């Protein structure tokens, strides 16, 4: 199963909106077939493994990182293919959270007389597909907030100067997380100040994630660099400005109105819309206001923070614009998921901590 998970990771940048899946076929202690899913619409991991095994698949055990599908989508059901190949046993790391499957693939195999087990290395399998699981179970993507800061939690000087607080290794590492995301989200303040390209450049990637800009008053200029390379851009606004909307549309952007009761962009509705469009992982690189709004609304699942060994002082700009809690008991709690040195800096990955 560990090898199957390693195979699944080869689809880390390419499988969206599908899950990352690997499969290993073993017969009499010998691996006879391996496969992984590369892209939506192409053969699934099980099909590749069965093709590699040929007749040796009969009587083999299939180790697969996600329950074999049981429905007709862009490809035929893998449960049927495993049954027809004569596989004797199927071990899945986890059941499929997709309501179209949700145990029916394993049930179909079991009904055909195939021995079925699940739960082997489940935690690792879930981690690999946390975005897909989020979209299937919550209807919205996994939201990862990325930022780089000094040890005292400052992202820029009061003048706005911020390049560069962290080193080259940290910036490259941040681009790896960009590359695995389905979409990148930023706010109009960041675009106005930095005019970012919001693209993956520091690492090799077969695709560019599409871009989403939270722009309440439709202030994004058609000349913005993130509109220049033809990657799809969604501009989400709350207050219409027909002339500016027409100019953005002419520049290739899609404009979507999602206002909340206060005349700002409804962030929860935006995440639901992104989930509907197949976004599994949403990577956020924004300023303190949008970061704070996502945190305050309970919409951020993970913090990806790079800290440099330096101090910028009280007047410098902070990570999150958040109101002070009335009591310590009302604070936002996180737990450390990973603590990793990256070059001369340190990377923290934190997940929301729910109080029991």
């Amino acid at each position: 199963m560990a090898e199957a998970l390693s195979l699944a990771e080869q689809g880390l940048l390419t499988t969206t909106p599908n899950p990352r899946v690997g499969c290993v076929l073993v017969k009499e202690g010998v691996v006879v077939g391996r496969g992984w899913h590369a892209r939506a619409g192409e053969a699934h991991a099980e099909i590749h493994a069965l093709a590699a095994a040929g007749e040796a698949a009969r009587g083999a055990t299939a180790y697969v990182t996600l329950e074999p599908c049981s429905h007709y989508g862009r490809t035929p059901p893998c449960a049927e293919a495993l049954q027809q190949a004569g596989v004797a046993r199927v071990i899945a790391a986890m059941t499929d959270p997709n309501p179209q499957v949700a145990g029916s693939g394993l049930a179909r195999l079991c009904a055909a007389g195939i021995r079925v087990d699940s739960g082997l290395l489940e935690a690792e399998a879930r981690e690999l597909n946390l975005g897909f699981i989020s979209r299937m179970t919550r209807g919205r993507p996994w939201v990862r907030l990325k930022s780089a800061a000094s040890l005292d939690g400052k992202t820029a000087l009061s003048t706005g100067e911020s390049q560069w607080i962290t080193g080259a290794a940290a910036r490259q590492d941040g681009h790896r997380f960009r590359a695995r995301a389905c979409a990148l989200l930023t706010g109009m303040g960041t675009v106005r100040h930095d005019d970012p390209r919001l693209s993956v450049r520091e690492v090799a990637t077969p695709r560019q994630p599409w871009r989403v800009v939270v722009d309440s008053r439709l202030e994004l200029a058609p000349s913005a660099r993130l509109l220049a390379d033809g990657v799809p851009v969604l501009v989400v606004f709350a207050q219409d400005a027909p002339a500016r909307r027409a100019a953005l549309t002419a520049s290739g952007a899609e404009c979507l109105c999602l206002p909340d009761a206060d005349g700002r962009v409804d962030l929860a509705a935006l995440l639901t819309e992104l989930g509907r469009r197949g976004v599994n992982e949403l990577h956020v690189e924004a300023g303190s206001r949008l970061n704070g709004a996502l945190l305050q609304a309970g919409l951020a699942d993970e913090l990806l923070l790079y800290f440099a060994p330096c101090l910028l002082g009280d007047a410098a700009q902070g990570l999150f614009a958040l109101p002070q809690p009335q009591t310590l008991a009302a604070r936002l709690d996180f737990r450390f998921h990973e603590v990793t040195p990256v070059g001369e800096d340190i990377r923290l990955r934190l997940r929301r901590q729910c109080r029991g």
Side-chain angles (χ1 to χ4, degrees):
M1 188 63 78
E3 183 175 354
L5 286 164
S6 180
L7 288 167
E9 287 182 5
Q10 295 188 49
L12 190 69
L13 309 185
T14 60
T15 62
T16 180
N18 285 1
R20 299 140 182 162
V21 183
C23 180
V24 174
L25 291 172
V26 178
K27 187 174 184 179
E28 297 177 354
V30 177
V31 173
V32 295
R34 298 176 176 87
W36 56 282
H37 180 51
R39 291 175 183 83
E42 296 184 6
H44 289 187
E46 299 93 320
I47 305 306
H48 285 300
L50 290 171
E55 286 300 315
R58 188 164 300 278
T61 295
Y63 293 84
V64 60
T65 60
L66 185 69
E67 173 187 6
C69 61
S70 56
H71 66 293
Y72 283 87
R74 299 187 191 182
T75 59
C78 293
E80 179 180 299
L82 291 166
Q83 178 184 344
Q84 291 178 349
V87 169
R89 184 182 182 189
V90 174
I91 302 174
M94 60 175 287
T95 56
D96 193 335
N98 186 343
Q100 291 181 294
V101 185
S104 62
L106 295 179
R108 178 172 181 167
L109 292 167
C110 190
I114 297 172
R115 182 180 172 185
V116 170
D117 296 284
S118 66
L120 180 61
L121 297 185
E122 181 174 357
E124 292 83 349
R126 295 182 69 86
E127 182 68 25
L128 185 62
N129 280 310
L130 45 74
F132 178 75
I133 294 168
S134 175
R135 183 166 66 87
M136 289 295 112
T137 59
R138 304 188 299 180
R140 66 175 181 85
W142 179 266
V143 178
R144 180 180 292 116
L145 267 59
K146 179 264 179 184
S147 194
S150 60
L151 284 179
D152 48 351
K154 305 299 182 178
T155 61
L157 298 178
S158 58
T159 60
E161 183 183 353
S162 62
Q163 296 182 352
W164 298 101
I165 294 175
T166 53
R171 294 196 295 275
Q172 183 181 58
D173 192 69
H175 276 249
R176 291 191 182 94
F177 281 92
R178 279 190 185 185
R180 67 175 285 170
C182 306
L184 310 179
L185 175 73
T186 195
M188 188 55 216
T190 298
V191 175
R192 185 186 298 111
H193 186 270
D194 297 334
D195 192 19
R197 283 177 281 178
L198 214 64
S199 60
V200 180
R201 301 181 302 280
E202 299 289 337
V203 296
T205 180
R207 64 170 182 89
Q208 288 289 340
W210 60 291
R211 295 95 186 243
V212 183
V213 181
V214 174
D215 181 12
S216 292
R217 294 187 291 272
L218 276 177
E219 297 173 310
L220 181 65
S223 59
R225 291 202 298 173
L226 59 82
L227 291 167
D229 58 6
V231 175
V233 175
L234 176 66
V235 181
V236 188
F237 65 97
Q239 302 171 34
D240 200 5
R244 292 199 293 268
R245 175 161 48 85
L248 286 171
T249 301
S251 297
E254 177 188 355
C255 297
L256 176 66
C257 186
L258 288 176
D260 66 10
D262 298 319
R264 295 187 288 265
V265 169
D266 188 327
L267 296 175
L270 170 57
L271 294 187
T272 298
E273 175 63 18
L274 294 178
R276 189 187 67 80
R277 296 184 183 214
V279 173
N280 292 331
E281 293 185 26
L282 180 65
H283 181 89
V284 181
E285 294 196 24
S288 62
R289 290 178 61 189
L290 181 52
N291 283 341
L294 288 164
L295 285 166
Q296 196 169 3
L299 299 174
D301 300 301
E302 179 177 320
L303 301 181
L304 174 67
L305 304 178
Y306 296 85
F307 284 99
C310 65
L311 301 171
L312 297 184
D314 289 344
Q317 299 177 25
L319 281 165
F320 311 115
L322 286 168
Q324 177 178 288
Q326 295 298 311
T327 65
L328 282 178
R331 68 186 185 266
L332 297 179
D333 280 341
F334 291 82
R335 59 180 173 82
F336 290 107
H337 178 68
E338 286 180 358
V339 179
T340 308
V342 180
E344 296 182 352
D345 306 311
I346 192 165
R347 182 186 74 203
L348 305 182
R349 292 178 71 187
L350 303 102
R351 305 272 171 88
R352 285 297 299 269
Q353 179 70 53
C354 298
R355 295 191 186 90

